[in-house]
Amino acid sequence: MGPGGVLVVRRLSPVDSILVGAPGRPLPTPIKFQAVDGTGRPVPAASVQWTVVGTNGHVEQSSSVTDVSGQLSAVWVLGTRASDAQGLSVRVATGNREAVATLTAIAKPAEVSSIAFRQDTTTVKLGVATVVQVQATDPFGNTFVPSGMRFVSVDTTLCTVDSVGSVQARKRGFGRVVVHAGSAADTAWVHPTQIVQSIVAPDTLRFHSLGQVVQLSVQLLDDLGRPVGDSLPVDSVVVDTVVKIQRGSTYVVRSVTNGTTPVILRAGAVAQTVQVVVDQRVANVKLSASRTAFDALSDTTQLTTLVFDSLGAALTNQALTYISADTSVTRISTSGLATTRGNGSTWLYARASNGVADSVAIAVAQQVARVVVKRDSILLDALQAVLPLQATALDRLGSPVMAATLTYSTGAPSVATLDASGNIHAIANGTTVVTAAYGTDTATVVVQVAQRAVRVLVPNDTLRFVALGETQTMQAIAVDSLGYPVSSTVRGLAVVDTTVVQQLDSVSVRSRSNGLTNATFMVNGLPAHVAMVVSQIAERMTAAVDLGQPILTLPVGAPVPITCRASDRNGYLVPGDANLVSAHGTVTGPTCNGAQVQRSGWDTLAVTLGAAEARVPIVIAAAPQAGSALGDFVQADPPPGGLSGPWTPSARRNTRGELELYYTSYYSQPDSSGFTRGDLQRLVWLGGNAFRYDSVALRHDDNICSPQGTGIENMVIVPRSDSAGWRMLYAAGSNTCGYGWQVFSAVSADERTWTKEPGVRLSNGNDPSGPSLNAPPWPAGEGMVVDPLPDGEWRMIVSTYEHISPPENKWQITEWRSPDQLNWRYVRTLITTRDMPTGWQSSVYSPTIRQIAPGLWRMIFTADGRFEGGYSALWSAVSTDLASWQIEGELLGVPTSNLYYSALVGDQLVFIRRDNGSARFQLAIATVTMP
């Protein structure tokens, strides 16, 4: 056995979680297991014992021992009783170890031995689907409902049956249904039936004449509301002298005498009663009238009425109702007295209680007798004022003839006119006479038009000035009640506050200062006043930022030196602080006076006051913020070999995301050459000021007189332009043999193992053919920054001597170009000691650059003032093109310490620090944020 002596039996097939089969039949798939030890290796030759649960259940073709692969199998035959639990267990044993596996299954009957209906006869109601119940039996006596049954109706005119045994009745009777399942079949009776539940008939039959015949509609319904079409009810009449009934598919009832009787309809236990009423009614009404035409309102006439039955005999004491079809023309009383009310035609009706009526036509047509007016004179005090003449035509009884059309005329149409409706319209001041006429009848009225001023109108209730020195004329007009002018002469103008608005003459004023005042005046004797508001609106905006240099360099939160001036259309200064919006968020503050530096970048400031706007382009380099003036000393395991203090640090982030720190450390003891020499060491940043020592990155040449014999110092690593991998450009030199310092290169495929390339990359002007005892004119390599250009060239910003003759013993920051990273040419100086203030003009070197915003870069470099009585510190400069640099000032440093050779990666700045009174050069690190 394997480790721990573990024995495991695992099932191989079937993989179903639930096993189903027919009773007394083998499962379709053999049961397979495998015995394995604790490591999963097969266990062969183990004994196997099978146990089956279920009546008559057993296994066939079963394994008694496991085979060479540890497998065992059996065919499981389920028990014959479907209601039993079906179980199978297997026990595998070897040595003193054993394991048991158990399975369960479901015995589901499927073989049809016989089939039978559960009922001999099934009753089916019309309109209600009824399912017949069927049961099958398998060869072992298990009962079940099989699938795939077929049902057949022997008489489809009586009933139909679908595939699930649902029977639908079509009519009453008896029929047979057959069921088939495989070769088994059975037959049963179905009994479609319908029982009368209600009789539908009208509640009442009414007759208004003797001998009248009416059809009686009768319908039988079952309990589902369906009609019973093959039965008729039995009828009986309680009083057979009132009506007679003829029975058939349609019942017919005929009236015999006046009276009432119930008709009773029966069907089985259901009965329905119909009430029959015979009642004679009035058949005819006749009206007579002595007069049907009238020429005046309020005239009267009396109507006479006769009533007849169906045989033409007059009926007396009949209650009649009188009706006028149009009461606006004629009104009639309950006694038949008609009175005219308005012009027109209508009908008068006399109606019996049963609705029989007669009518007579009435016509009313008024005739004009005279024309009258309400007053003899009218005064109109506004132009276009309208007043009705109020002339009326009357009939002989003094009622107005509304349909009469009057004609109107005026004696002076230039003063007043009349329209077709008799309305007088005022045209101009004056007097005239107007006339209303109908035929030869007339009436006259004197009309006078005399305007009266009621109010003063001004173009605006407030006179507004939007600029100082603006002149406006006071305008106003007196109008009548309808707004027509009466006078426009302004008199008595007076301004309340002349410091806001100055009065020039009787109608002119001029704005003097922002504010609010009022002016009073008179028009046509009516007093008026106007509010006057002087509120300058800026129409021109000027804004300028006092940069002093192309790039604004201020700390975050410092005020932006922006001057904003808004003026109105007359050129007067508009007071108020202009709004300021920064397009790219380099500046915060909602107004010019509150604008503060937020972050670095290119931007456009939009300055607005009202509709006036000015846009100011600006480049901001927010001042860098150092965590401390001197940083913290780097803590790292010392490299082996007894090295002295560090020198010329360089830093980069490798492709694994690690910050690597490279520096030169000269050995503390001379080697076999008799000189101390330095190699390029590598540290990896752990966070804060902690680093771990990694390895020697690059070693000096063995020969002391080699151009790289003294040591390796500054370096930069870039992707190779000519192949895969990386290229390191590094500074090296030979002080002993006069080669001086210049830049060389090495290549690597893994960023760790470097192979030096032959040749000099940046020459110091020395003769490359052999040693020289003369100092080279232009040493090179004090810090390097390399980047590719869009045209395919490579650019290096590096500290070298300026290429002038005679050479000047000062390090300057210069630019070089190369087409292939190998052959470099001197281009120009970027930052020189001439750009530095007095006291900092000894040397500038060790540039390290970071992009602080799109199109904006900051350089940190060493400025040396030691030979001018000062100290060395780290300074910064900014540029928009990496060519023209603007000096910002000292970033890190104090007079009691000297700082050299900085290298920047992200916010981490590494440099050399030497405090006064100490002989040690130490690595230090500081956090520098550049918002």
Side-chain angles (χ1 to χ4, degrees):
M1 294 299 292
V6 177
L7 179 63
V8 177
V9 177
R10 59 189 182 191
R11 181 162 55 143
L12 300 180
S13 67
V15 296
D16 299 347
S17 59
I18 299 176
L19 304 180
V20 180
R25 305 296 184 222
L27 292 177
T29 304
I31 307 299
K32 291 184 179 181
F33 296 92
Q34 185 182 31
V36 297
D37 61 14
T39 64
R41 292 179 297 180
V43 179
S47 64
V48 179
Q49 181 179 352
W50 302 86
T51 304
V52 178
V53 176
T55 304
N56 298 323
H58 61 279
V59 294
E60 298 175 349
Q61 305 173 25
S62 57
S63 302
S64 59
V65 295
T66 59
D67 60 16
V68 295
S69 61
Q71 294 189 13
L72 58 149
S73 64
V75 175
W76 183 9
V77 179
L78 301 182
T80 57
R81 186 178 299 167
S83 59
D84 287 352
Q86 306 290 328
L88 173 66
S89 63
V90 59
R91 176 179 174 275
V92 179
T94 178
N96 60 350
R97 302 296 181 184
E98 67 177 34
V100 177
T102 302
L103 298 177
T104 60
I106 298 173
K108 184 176 181 180
E111 299 179 59
V112 178
S113 176
S114 63
I115 191 166
F117 286 96
R118 293 189 178 182
Q119 295 177 337
D120 292 338
T121 302
T122 300
T123 300
V124 181
K125 289 185 179 182
L126 263 71
V128 179
T130 303
V131 178
V132 292
Q133 303 296 319
V134 178
Q135 179 176 279
T137 305
D138 70 1
F140 303 103
N142 298 303
T143 60
F144 64 99
V145 177
S147 60
M149 295 185 293
R150 294 183 298 106
F151 293 89
V152 177
S153 172
V154 177
D155 185 359
T156 57
T157 64
L158 182 71
C159 64
T160 60
V161 61
D162 61 16
S163 60
V164 297
S166 178
V167 180
Q168 290 277 6
R170 291 184 170 178
K171 63 180 180 178
R172 294 191 291 182
F174 284 89
R176 288 183 300 161
V177 175
V178 181
V179 63
H180 298 272
S183 61
D186 193 22
T187 303
W189 289 95
V190 292
H191 178 205
T193 184
Q194 194 174 21
I195 300 173
V196 176
Q197 185 71 26
S198 61
I199 300 173
V200 179
D203 294 337
T204 305
L205 286 180
R206 296 188 180 276
F207 297 82
H208 302 302
S209 300
L210 300 182
Q212 184 178 354
V213 176
V214 176
Q215 291 185 349
L216 175 61
S217 176
V218 179
Q219 189 177 36
L220 304 181
L221 301 178
D222 63 11
D223 55 349
L224 297 177
R226 297 167 60 92
V228 181
D230 55 358
S231 297
L232 290 173
V234 177
D235 62 86
S236 61
V237 180
V238 177
V239 183
D240 58 1
T241 60
V242 176
V243 294
K244 297 295 184 181
I245 295 179
Q246 180 180 347
R247 187 167 178 263
S249 59
T250 302
Y251 282 78
V252 177
V253 183
R254 182 173 58 86
S255 62
V256 178
T257 61
N258 286 308
T260 61
T261 183
V263 176
I264 302 174
L265 304 173
R266 291 187 178 85
V270 179
Q272 176 69 29
T273 301
V274 179
Q275 188 73 16
V276 178
V277 179
V278 180
D279 182 18
Q280 288 179 286
R281 299 287 179 89
V282 174
N284 198 7
V285 176
K286 294 292 182 179
L287 270 176
S288 63
S290 60
R291 189 176 180 186
T292 61
F294 300 84
D295 64 357
L297 303 186
S298 301
D299 208 352
T300 61
T301 185
Q302 180 67 47
L303 299 183
T304 303
T305 310
L306 300 176
V307 180
F308 303 91
D309 63 13
S310 60
L311 299 178
L315 298 181
T316 59
N317 299 323
Q318 292 294 315
L320 299 175
T321 301
Y322 293 96
I323 300 172
S324 172
D326 188 350
T327 56
S328 65
V329 176
T330 304
R331 180 177 56 191
I332 189 167
S333 68
T334 57
S335 62
L337 179 64
T339 305
T340 60
R341 302 185 67 189
N343 290 291
S345 299
T346 188
W347 291 86
L348 300 181
Y349 296 88
R351 179 174 294 163
S353 60
N354 65 348
V356 178
D358 194 14
S359 61
V360 62
I362 299 294
V364 179
Q366 285 178 284
Q367 299 296 319
V368 176
R370 63 185 184 278
V371 177
V372 298
V373 292
K374 285 193 173 182
R375 47 187 176 177
D376 57 4
S377 65
I378 293 175
L379 174 63
L380 300 173
D381 61 2
L383 299 186
Q384 296 303 321
V386 179
L387 285 177
L389 182 59
Q390 294 182 304
T392 307
L394 303 179
D395 63 15
R396 62 183 175 81
L397 296 181
S399 296
V401 183
M402 304 306 296
T405 301
L406 301 179
T407 59
Y408 303 95
S409 61
T410 175
S414 61
V415 175
T417 61
L418 288 93
D419 59 24
S421 299
N423 295 313
I424 305 171
H425 296 258
I427 305 301
N429 292 304
T431 302
T432 186
V433 175
V434 297
T435 302
Y438 185 88
T440 59
D441 294 319
T442 61
T444 60
V445 175
V446 176
V447 175
Q448 182 182 10
V449 179
Q451 277 183 287
R452 180 172 63 86
V454 297
R455 63 183 181 276
V456 175
L457 300 180
V458 293
N460 293 290
D461 59 359
T462 302
L463 199 61
R464 298 185 181 276
F465 299 84
V466 297
L468 301 185
E470 183 178 352
T471 299
Q472 295 192 45
T473 300
M474 188 64 65
Q475 298 177 348
I477 186 171
V479 298
D480 59 23
S481 60
L482 295 181
Y484 286 90
V486 178
S487 174
S488 61
T489 303
V490 175
R491 300 182 183 280
L493 176 65
V495 177
V496 175
D497 188 349
T498 56
T499 63
V500 176
V501 177
Q502 175 187 8
Q503 182 174 343
L504 300 179
D505 53 31
S506 61
V507 292
S508 299
V509 291
R510 177 181 296 159
S511 58
R512 299 184 64 186
S513 63
N514 289 297
L516 172 67
T517 187
N518 287 286
T520 60
F521 53 91
M522 302 283 289
V523 181
N524 201 43
L526 295 177
H529 73 280
V530 171
M532 294 189 292
V533 176
V534 181
S535 179
Q536 287 176 280
I537 295 178
E539 290 199 358
R540 288 182 293 276
M541 171 66 69
T542 59
V545 178
D546 184 11
L547 298 176
Q549 299 188 79
I551 303 173
L552 181 63
T553 57
L554 289 173
V556 172
V560 177
I562 184 170
T563 302
C564 305
R565 185 181 186 279
S567 58
D568 61 24
R569 64 190 180 193
N570 290 335
Y572 289 92
L573 184 65
V574 178
D577 195 3
N579 297 320
L580 184 143
V581 176
S582 169
H584 300 293
T586 64
V587 173
T588 60
T591 62
C592 273
N593 291 336
Q596 296 178 342
V597 172
Q598 176 69 15
R599 62 175 182 83
S600 301
W602 292 74
D603 209 340
T604 298
L605 306 183
V607 180
T608 60
L609 187 62
E613 181 181 42
R615 293 184 176 272
V616 183
I618 190 173
V619 181
I620 296 179
Q625 300 170 1
S628 63
L630 293 175
D632 298 317
F633 289 121
V634 168
Q635 301 295 321
D637 295 333
L643 301 180
S644 64
W647 192 244
T648 61
S650 303
R652 67 182 289 262
R653 192 173 300 279
N654 62 29
T655 56
R656 298 182 298 278
E658 298 172 322
L659 190 156
E660 296 179 333
L661 174 60
Y662 296 79
Y663 69 96
T664 302
S665 188
Y666 286 88
Y667 291 88
S668 57
Q669 299 297 324
D671 60 10
S672 59
S673 67
F675 297 93
T676 59
R677 299 194 283 175
D679 292 330
L680 189 64
Q681 311 287 337
R682 178 167 46 222
L683 301 178
V684 176
W685 187 44
L686 301 177
N689 64 336
F691 288 78
R692 65 173 172 81
Y693 180 75
D694 184 76
S695 61
V696 175
L698 200 64
R699 296 185 182 276
H700 62 79
D701 287 355
D702 291 336
N703 185 354
I704 189 63
C705 279
S706 165
Q708 302 181 38
T710 298
I712 310 295
E713 294 194 353
N714 292 282
M715 72 90 206
V716 64
I717 296 174
V718 295
R720 290 184 64 176
S721 63
D722 54 348
S723 178
W726 290 265
R727 174 169 280 115
M728 176 191 292
L729 297 163
Y730 60 91
S734 174
N735 294 333
T736 303
C737 298
Y739 281 107
W741 290 87
Q742 46 199 341
V743 175
F744 302 87
S745 65
V747 293
S748 172
D750 60 1
E751 298 180 273
R752 294 182 56 79
T753 303
W754 296 91
T755 301
K756 293 181 179 180
E757 295 181 291
V760 177
R761 305 284 84 87
L762 268 66
S763 172
N764 58 13
N766 205 345
D767 181 3
S769 63
S772 172
L773 297 179
N774 296 322
W778 307 306
E782 291 288 279
M784 289 167 276
V785 177
V786 177
D787 66 312
L789 297 175
D791 61 1
E793 273 200 311
W794 291 82
R795 170 174 52 198
M796 179 187 295
I797 297 176
V798 58
S799 183
T800 69
Y801 276 24
E802 189 174 3
H803 284 203
I804 57 176
S805 294
E808 185 180 16
N809 186 21
K810 290 185 177 182
W811 290 94
Q812 315 286 10
I813 297 175
T814 63
E815 178 183 346
W816 296 62
R817 297 284 182 95
S818 170
D820 54 7
Q821 298 180 345
L822 299 176
N823 300 291
W824 294 85
R825 72 182 187 280
Y826 178 88
V827 177
R828 57 185 164 179
T829 58
L830 300 180
I831 298 177
T832 71
T833 54
R834 298 184 294 277
D835 301 317
M836 300 298 292
T838 301
W840 296 95
Q841 296 179 348
S842 297
S843 283
V844 289
Y845 56 95
S846 183
T848 182
I849 299 174
R850 173 182 161 187
Q851 186 173 14
I852 59 176
L856 188 60
W857 292 266
R858 175 171 281 117
M859 177 195 295
I860 299 176
F861 62 94
T862 303
D864 197 346
R866 290 173 296 163
F867 302 110
E868 301 174 69
Y871 57 97
S872 290
L874 302 184
W875 281 55
S876 66
V878 289
S879 173
T880 59
D881 58 4
L882 293 171
S884 300
W885 291 88
Q886 179 179 309
I887 305 297
E888 290 184 293
E890 185 178 340
L891 174 62
L892 291 176
V894 294
T896 57
S897 295
N898 289 299
L899 307 182
Y900 321 91
Y901 295 104
S902 61
L904 178 68
V905 177
D907 290 343
Q908 303 303 311
L909 183 67
V910 182
F911 51 92
I912 297 295
R913 171 179 165 186
R914 184 183 185 186
D915 297 334
N916 289 355
S918 172
R920 295 184 61 194
F921 293 91
Q922 294 179 272
L923 285 171
I925 186 170
T927 298
V928 179
T929 57
M930 299 185 186

